[in-house]
Amino acid sequence: CLENTDPRMRGRGIQLLSQVLLQCYSLLQEKEVLHLVLFYENRLQDHHLVIPSVLQGLRALSMCEVVSPGLAVSVLKAIFQEVHVQSLLQLDRHTVYSIIINFMSSREEELKGLGADFTFGFIQIMDGEKDPRNLLVAFQIVRDLIAKNYALGPFVEELFEVTSCYFPIDFTPPPNDPHGIQREDLILSLRAVLASTPQFAEFLLPLLIEKMDSDLQSAKLDSLQTLTACCAIYGQKELQEFLPSLWSSLRREVFQTASEKVEAECLAALHALSACLSRSVLSSDTEDLLDSFLSSILQDCRHHLCEPDMKLVWPSAKLLQAAAGASLRAYHRVTCIVLPLLLEQYTKHLQSSQRRTILEMLLGFLELQQKWGLVEEDESTLLSLQASICSVVFSALTDPNVQLQLVGIRALTVLGSLQGFLSHSDLELVADHLIRLTLHEDSQSSEAAMEAAGSLAPIYSKVFSSHMVPRLEKELQSVSFSEREEESSCDHYSLQQRCLQALAAVSTHTSIVKETVPVLLQHLRKVQKGSEARNTQGMVSVCQSLHRVALQCQQDDDSCWYYHQTVVPCLLAMAVQAAMQESAHPLLGKALIEEEVLAAMVPVISAATTHLSPELAAQSVSHVVPLFLDGEVSFLPQNSFPCSFQPFEDGECFDAQRRLVALLMAFVCSLPCNVAIPQQERLLQELLALSCSCNCLFTATTAAKCFAGLVNKHPPGQQLDEILQLAVNRMEPSLVEGPQRMQALTLLLWVTKALVLRYHPLSSHLTDKLLGLLSDVELGPAAADGFSLLMADSPDVLHKGCHADVRIMFRQRFFTNNVPKLVQGFHGAGPDVKANYLKGLSHVLNHLPKPVLVTELPTLLSLLLEALSCSDRVVQLSTLSCLQPLLLEAPQIMSLHVDTLVTKFLSLTSSPTMAVRIAALRCAHALTSLPQTVLLPYKARVIRALAKPLDDKKRLVRKEAVAARGEW
């Protein structure tokens, strides 16, 4: 074939040889490569039909490691001379680029020996390339030419022209493009070329200025982003000639644009220009370009800061801040002019709204200073204006306008972060302002002041310990309920709440925690002695504050251990005392063992335990578990109790003590997995017995949760199998009949969840048991709701935060194993229990990751639509919340059922339940994301039907109706 006179036959012969070489190029020896290269070079002069196969052979040879010196140069010269690349097909042009890339990576020094001829040859090859697949490779070659210092010689402008002709990229990939090349890929690749060398600057910057003035937003954005990239490698020399034009374009865009994207990119480009000029090293005979550039900016912007209508205030401030934020030198140059001007304007303007605008601008400049902090040797503008700045900020804090107060609080936080800026007397004034704002101002200002106090407390812990904490403690004591009259109790309760929240907010440093925690615990004891209705609320408030402190202590080991050993024994002691006194003195301290208060204490103990080191956790567990199993109270403070503590004993007199199992659950279920629990098997048996036999549902549930939490972390083996078998033997008879069916179901749910999370084999047996209960008339609805418990994250036990064993994708696994059974059960169920299956299914689907749900949608949609006809409002609500995101994420599938969906949604907008009406209106709104051609036949009907909920008696329903109807 190779010697055949027919070019097609010769082409087939060379094609076969090239295909063989592509398979075995790594096996060739140097002499063989030499012989083949000479043959292929000669064939480049052959008929044009042969050339594609020749290029494939050369590509194979370019990948060989044993190419003789000089061969790579010879091959490329031959291609440059003999092949008109741009007349070839896309694949063959791609082959040429591949040959060049292969030789550039393996024979770099040889190619550099060609000098600028190599660059010129490549320019000829690339000139006129249009295919995006080839352009990505060509741009890579240009990047390598520049990055690896190949000689460009006199061809810099030609190389720039051959690449810049594609700027800005205007490419839309065809639908279903198998190559997956996106416009963004080409933009980034070209930008990397254009911004790769300062040698392009004289050609590129005029092009960028031209494109910034384009009417196309995409061209503006691309130009600005490219300018920002160039500033990283350019110097003063490259920019000098173009600075006035660049500033003019950037200023115009920021002053005139309606696009936030364009404005943001302009500011980023200005920042980059200022940073670039800041890097230049000045010599005595050169102009300080940064200074002159910033002078232009100041000249064009400063007068806008003083205009009475304040029309261009914000654009001017943003430009000044972008330039000033580039370097400390730029910051000083701008702020020495701007800060005095802003302070003067603040004094001149008396309206709160104008003052807020000016203070927000001032805040922007103060935030920039945080980058560098206060440098001692600086003759800083900020330090010279300290008194004026503090005066302005403090005046904002006392202004009656809430929005101005909020900006003042933010400014105060920034000033406080600049160590050394505020004097001791200023800091005391800061603490006074924060206390006043926290306790006596609008709720927004109060929350912001608490957040500010939490930020500043670690920096100025001594001031906050000595000044703020005592003031808050005194205020808390003065508003104690027991000392107030009934008619004013509501206001005082609100003030007490704020005191408690402020004490928690400021507890962000170990020394302050040691001051605030005793105050909170003392107040808890005091509230316990108050009257019944109010001290329950008061105790919950204290527990919420203690919980916040616990979360803040988790970041510091010392704070965490101090908090744990102070708070946990104290809470346990108070609860044990209250439980023992209930039978003897029913009114004394009973609130502490109310379910609401115990539920509030659970997260406190849990948060105090989760971050303990294993050694300290082991030390603590050796006291707490014997307390509950053996009544060992010696480690508790004030441990002179009237009787023994026996929470696992039977009898009505122990009901109050049994409730405290909730606190045991909070502790043992939050321990790290590697902490051994003493007498664990006995503890599990006691919890199991309590969960099955206790008549109090709260106690039975907490015992079941505690049992499940321990089972989830229990090491696999015979002991775990035995305790689980014991649990199954206790549950199964109780589920069939008897007074404790609901307790048995609760235990079944929590144990199933514990095992599902860790992929335990018994979980499938227990789940089947739960599925069977859906057909039970009495327990069916509760069993259906149990599927929500299995799939949702639990707040107090069995979550990753308390070190539970939670495997990835457990929800998907549960879905795959059990949804077919739910569907099968629904079809075989009687009419009185069908709703239970639908409710269980909707709970599972509601908690499933949406991408998984979309893939299963075709098979489940008919069931979901049937669920909307169910009379159970929980089923309706759960199904609607499941369907709403699917309308947005799977419009093609949902479009097939649009008639049914419209009918169901409109029907449910008249539901007697407000939550269902709102969810139905949201789904009707989401329908508008379907293709318009599908929706148009229903438009008039929907608009007519949605007029009715516009008059709904509930405001939230009317709000959703307006949004949905407007979209239709």
Side-chain angles (χ1 to χ4, degrees):
C1 284
L2 294 179
E3 295 179 338
N4 198 297
T5 54
D6 182 0
R8 285 181 178 77
M9 289 302 292
R10 287 203 304 282
R12 288 181 64 190
I14 295 172
Q15 183 184 20
L16 175 60
L17 176 61
S18 296
Q19 287 171 343
V20 171
L21 291 176
L22 282 166
Q23 297 293 323
C24 70
Y25 63 86
S26 59
L27 308 177
L28 296 174
Q29 296 173 15
E30 188 173 339
K31 282 183 180 179
E32 293 168 337
V33 173
L34 173 62
H35 187 76
L36 287 163
V37 165
L38 293 173
F39 167 74
Y40 273 107
E41 277 185 17
N42 181 264
R43 290 301 88 202
L44 284 173
Q45 300 169 14
D46 204 336
H47 194 276
H48 68 89
L49 292 174
V50 176
I51 300 301
S53 300
V54 175
L55 292 172
Q56 287 294 344
L58 286 172
R59 182 167 75 90
L61 295 170
S62 72
M63 293 187 279
C64 293
E65 293 180 11
V66 290
V67 178
S68 304
L71 273 188
V73 171
S74 172
V75 168
L76 291 180
K77 275 186 174 179
I79 291 174
F80 293 159
Q81 288 169 9
E82 305 295 345
V83 183
H84 185 250
V85 175
Q86 286 307 316
S87 66
L88 300 174
L89 295 174
Q90 179 272 326
L91 181 62
D92 303 324
R93 301 199 303 276
H94 194 280
T95 304
V96 174
Y97 295 129
S98 300
I99 293 168
I100 295 173
I101 280 186
N102 291 340
F103 281 139
M104 284 179 78
S105 62
S106 63
R107 295 287 181 271
E108 183 179 330
E109 292 307 317
E110 283 183 39
L111 299 192
K112 284 181 177 177
L114 272 172
D117 289 348
F118 176 57
T119 305
F120 180 67
F122 173 72
I123 291 169
Q124 287 182 305
I125 282 177
M126 183 184 170
D127 193 11
E129 181 59 68
K130 289 185 175 64
D131 192 277
R133 292 164 287 182
N134 291 348
L135 282 174
L136 283 176
V137 186
F139 291 156
Q140 174 66 51
I141 293 172
V142 180
R143 279 208 304 280
D144 289 347
L145 280 173
I146 294 165
K148 296 179 179 178
N149 296 315
Y150 281 79
L152 305 185
F155 304 116
V156 173
E157 186 172 0
E158 285 79 359
L159 187 62
F160 172 77
E161 291 294 340
V162 86
T163 50
S164 65
C165 63
Y166 302 101
F167 182 86
I169 294 288
D170 181 21
F171 167 69
T172 305
N176 306 317
D177 178 22
H179 308 292
I181 294 175
Q182 299 299 314
R183 180 169 174 269
E184 193 65 19
D185 300 329
L186 289 165
I187 287 174
L188 294 175
S189 191
L190 177 56
R191 186 176 302 151
V193 170
L194 297 177
S196 62
T197 173
Q199 295 180 74
F200 284 166
E202 62 179 302
F203 316 113
L204 177 61
L205 291 174
L207 176 65
L208 295 180
I209 292 167
E210 177 195 332
K211 298 301 180 184
M212 275 187 230
D213 299 341
S214 164
D215 293 332
L216 283 174
Q217 181 173 310
S218 59
K220 286 183 194 289
L221 291 171
D222 203 352
S223 302
L224 291 163
Q225 289 164 352
T226 303
L227 175 59
T228 303
C230 289
C231 287
I233 63 157
Y234 285 4
Q236 188 166 292
K237 183 181 73 172
E238 286 78 25
L239 292 173
Q240 184 167 7
E241 181 188 343
F242 303 99
L243 282 175
S245 300
L246 287 167
W247 163 239
S248 175
S249 295
L250 293 171
R251 180 190 62 211
R252 186 187 63 254
E253 287 301 330
V254 173
F255 280 166
Q256 295 178 3
T257 187
S259 164
E260 289 182 13
K261 283 183 182 177
V262 171
E263 181 187 87
E265 293 300 340
C266 282
L267 296 174
L270 181 60
H271 180 93
L273 282 169
S274 183
C276 179
L277 297 174
S278 299
R279 287 195 300 269
S280 300
V281 180
L282 295 176
S283 57
S284 57
D285 58 339
T286 56
E287 179 192 356
D288 185 353
L289 271 187
L290 176 67
D291 188 70
S292 57
F293 183 59
L294 294 176
S295 295
S296 302
I297 297 172
L298 285 162
Q299 184 181 340
D300 290 343
C301 292
R302 62 179 291 183
H303 63 278
H304 292 305
L305 303 180
C306 309
E307 288 173 356
D309 60 358
M310 305 184 82
K311 190 177 178 184
L312 290 173
V313 158
W314 265 120
S316 300
K318 287 176 180 176
L319 287 165
L320 288 165
Q321 286 167 7
S327 69
L328 192 54
R329 189 153 65 99
Y331 181 78
H332 285 290
R333 178 71 181 85
V334 173
T335 52
C336 70
I337 304 291
V338 173
L339 290 189
L341 198 61
L342 291 175
L343 293 168
E344 181 189 333
Q345 290 301 305
Y346 185 90
T347 312
K348 274 187 183 177
H349 290 86
L350 299 177
Q351 287 184 18
S352 295
S353 59
Q354 292 175 327
R355 286 190 155 192
R356 189 187 92 197
T357 301
I358 294 165
L359 187 56
E360 282 183 324
M361 289 188 288
L362 184 64
L363 174 61
F365 286 103
L366 294 176
E367 286 172 337
L368 291 177
Q369 180 75 60
Q370 287 179 300
K371 284 185 181 182
W372 304 287
L374 284 176
V375 187
E376 285 181 20
E377 60 271 17
D378 263 347
E379 293 179 6
S380 171
T381 311
L382 213 54
L383 288 173
S384 64
L385 296 170
Q386 180 187 18
S388 303
I389 292 172
C390 287
S391 171
V392 162
V393 172
F394 290 153
S395 80
L397 298 177
T398 53
D399 193 277
N401 183 282
V402 173
Q403 297 305 316
L404 182 52
Q405 284 180 9
L406 292 173
V407 181
I409 292 167
R410 283 164 54 205
L412 189 67
T413 309
V414 174
L415 290 180
S417 69
L418 301 171
Q419 289 212 33
F421 185 83
L422 297 173
S423 65
H424 187 74
S425 58
D426 287 334
L427 288 169
E428 290 188 346
L429 197 53
V430 166
D432 291 339
H433 278 301
L434 290 175
I435 291 169
R436 178 184 55 76
L437 289 162
T438 297
L439 301 183
H440 304 295
E441 289 292 346
D442 177 89
S443 60
Q444 274 185 290
S445 299
S446 177
E447 287 174 19
M450 287 185 210
E451 193 175 333
S455 301
L456 297 176
I459 307 171
Y460 307 106
S461 55
K462 287 184 180 176
V463 175
F464 278 77
S465 288
S466 61
H467 200 76
M468 194 166 181
V469 175
R471 285 274 306 278
L472 288 169
E473 182 182 5
K474 187 177 178 183
E475 194 76 39
L476 186 61
Q477 290 170 350
S478 70
V479 294
S480 180
F481 279 140
S482 57
E483 298 169 13
R484 298 293 174 185
E485 295 182 1
E486 185 69 32
E487 58 269 16
S488 63
S489 65
C490 193
D491 290 339
H492 286 298
Y493 176 67
S494 174
L495 189 56
Q496 184 192 42
Q497 285 270 77
R498 288 193 177 188
C499 285
L500 292 169
Q501 289 167 356
L503 283 165
V506 81
S507 304
T508 49
H509 187 271
T510 307
S511 63
I512 302 175
V513 170
K514 290 179 179 177
E515 302 281 340
T516 55
V517 164
V519 173
L520 291 169
L521 292 174
Q522 182 59 37
H523 185 69
L524 187 62
R525 294 189 192 96
K526 193 178 287 186
V527 174
Q528 187 183 359
K529 296 169 186 172
S531 62
E532 186 61 36
R534 287 176 305 198
N535 66 1
T536 298
Q537 289 178 317
M539 290 174 133
V540 169
S541 297
V542 180
C543 289
Q544 287 168 344
S545 290
L546 284 168
H547 181 229
R548 180 170 179 176
V549 179
L551 294 174
Q552 289 164 183
C553 287
Q554 288 177 346
Q555 310 308 319
D556 180 79
D557 291 344
D558 292 340
S559 297
C560 190
W561 179 235
Y562 165 78
Y563 183 92
H564 182 87
Q565 63 180 355
T566 306
V567 173
V568 173
C570 182
L571 292 182
L572 289 172
M574 291 170 68
V576 170
Q577 181 85 34
M580 290 179 176
Q581 285 177 343
E582 189 187 10
S583 53
H585 310 284
L587 294 177
L588 185 60
K590 185 181 176 185
L592 196 63
I593 54 170
E594 288 289 328
E595 291 176 12
E596 190 181 349
V597 178
L598 288 172
M601 291 168 77
V602 164
V604 178
I605 294 174
S606 179
T609 307
T610 51
H611 283 62
L612 288 180
S613 68
E615 299 76 28
L616 296 175
Q619 188 178 326
S620 191
V621 77
S622 66
H623 297 305
V624 176
V625 172
L627 166 68
F628 281 85
L629 287 178
D630 306 314
E632 181 55 62
V633 296
S634 57
F635 82 103
L636 298 178
Q638 303 167 347
N639 54 18
S640 55
F641 301 117
C643 58
S644 59
F645 179 57
Q646 297 170 301
F648 291 113
E649 286 296 316
D650 290 332
E652 283 186 27
C653 60
F654 293 106
D655 280 352
Q657 293 187 21
R658 284 202 287 267
R659 276 190 222 162
L660 302 196
V661 169
L663 306 184
L664 173 68
M665 172 199 77
F667 177 77
V668 295
C669 291
S670 302
L671 291 167
C673 296
N674 53 357
V675 175
I677 296 172
Q679 308 181 69
Q680 184 169 8
E681 306 313 313
R682 179 187 162 196
L683 178 61
L684 283 165
Q685 289 174 12
E686 295 283 14
L687 288 166
L688 180 59
L690 185 60
S691 66
C692 290
S693 61
C694 185
N695 292 322
C696 169
L697 202 55
F698 174 81
T699 304
T701 302
T702 51
K705 287 160 79 171
C706 190
F707 179 83
L710 292 173
V711 160
N712 173 264
K713 296 182 196 176
H714 199 295
Q718 187 181 351
Q719 282 185 326
L720 177 62
D721 295 341
E722 287 174 1
I723 199 74
L724 286 173
Q725 191 56 52
L726 193 62
V728 170
N729 293 344
R730 288 293 293 264
M731 280 188 287
E732 287 186 340
S734 301
L735 285 168
V736 177
E737 59 182 1
Q740 266 91 29
R741 292 189 79 198
M742 186 54 75
Q743 285 88 327
L745 174 60
T746 303
L747 179 63
L748 172 65
L749 285 169
W750 282 103
V751 174
T752 304
K753 183 177 178 74
L755 300 183
V756 163
L757 292 178
R758 65 179 281 177
Y759 291 178
H760 192 280
L762 186 62
S763 62
S764 56
H765 170 71
L766 297 182
T767 309
D768 289 343
K769 182 71 64 181
L770 188 60
L771 286 164
L773 288 172
L774 292 174
S775 58
D776 187 291
V777 177
E778 182 189 348
L779 291 181
D785 284 331
F787 281 91
S788 176
L789 186 152
L790 294 181
M791 297 293 281
D793 290 324
S794 169
D796 42 13
V797 294
L798 296 176
H799 60 89
K800 286 186 177 178
C802 63
H803 312 289
D805 183 358
V806 181
R807 304 296 173 88
I808 60 168
M809 299 175 72
F810 77 89
R811 291 184 178 89
Q812 289 90 318
R813 180 170 175 154
F814 187 87
F815 170 86
T816 306
N817 291 343
N818 297 294
V819 164
K821 298 175 186 175
L822 273 169
V823 173
Q824 186 181 352
F826 168 78
H827 290 305
D832 53 339
V833 292
K834 270 186 183 290
N836 296 338
Y837 288 91
L838 286 175
K839 189 191 287 189
L841 177 66
S842 63
H843 282 315
V844 173
L845 299 182
N846 228 349
H847 291 94
L848 200 64
K850 291 299 173 277
V852 180
L853 187 51
V854 168
T855 60
E856 301 292 337
L857 191 56
T859 56
L860 294 171
L861 192 53
S862 57
L863 261 183
L864 287 172
L865 294 174
E866 194 164 341
L868 289 177
S869 304
C870 177
S871 58
D872 188 311
R873 66 178 183 82
V874 176
V875 176
Q876 291 173 348
L877 197 55
S878 187
T879 308
L880 287 168
S881 61
C882 185
L883 285 171
Q884 185 194 349
L886 294 174
L887 287 163
L888 304 172
E889 293 175 29
Q892 299 306 321
I893 300 170
M894 302 301 269
S895 296
L896 302 174
H897 302 269
V898 66
D899 191 67
T900 310
L901 290 167
V902 168
T903 305
K904 301 277 189 189
F905 293 158
L906 294 181
S907 166
L908 290 172
T909 58
S910 305
S911 165
T913 307
M914 183 182 82
V916 173
R917 296 201 299 278
I918 289 174
L921 286 165
R922 284 177 180 162
C923 286
H925 190 165
L927 276 173
T928 58
S929 63
L930 301 185
Q932 281 198 16
T933 48
V934 174
L935 298 178
L936 283 172
Y938 303 93
K939 179 179 173 180
R941 174 186 165 194
V942 173
I943 291 174
R944 201 163 48 246
L946 291 181
K948 185 183 175 186
L950 292 177
D951 284 334
D952 198 278
K953 59 187 178 182
K954 295 292 187 181
R955 183 183 62 83
L956 292 174
V957 177
R958 295 197 300 273
K959 180 183 171 188
E960 294 295 341
V962 167
R965 194 167 185 265
E967 200 63 42
W968 273 91

